[in-house]
Amino acid sequence: MEQILKNLFSAQEKATERGDVKGVILISKYLLHLANKFGDEMIDFGAESNQEREKGGEEEK
């Protein structure tokens, strides 16, 4: 499940970079569906994923 979520977050980020609004919306809706289905487990993972990205951005600077 963790890898699936990582892939979805990655796809969402790539869609954002391309300016694919419809893709971002569809992926976001699916992520919300999963959040409702699995509860806090996914939300916690999403927070960790965002923290990892922020740390990665700081290293690049």
Side-chain angles (χ1 to χ4, degrees), residues 14-32:
K14 289 176 184 176
T16 301
E17 290 170 0
R18 287 191 314 264
D20 180 7
V21 176
K22 184 177 180 180
V24 172
I25 291 170
L26 290 173
I27 294 169
S28 297
K29 283 184 177 183
Y30 189 65
L31 286 167
L32 286 171

Side-chain angles (χ1 to χ4, degrees), residues 23-52:
V24 172
I25 291 170
L26 290 173
I27 294 169
S28 297
K29 283 184 177 183
Y30 189 65
L31 286 167
L32 286 171
H33 166 76
L34 291 176
N36 288 331
K37 187 171 183 177
F38 294 104
D40 292 336
E41 179 182 332
M42 192 191 100
I43 294 170
D44 290 342
F45 175 78
E48 290 172 12
S49 179
N50 286 337
Q51 289 173 352
E52 289 174 7

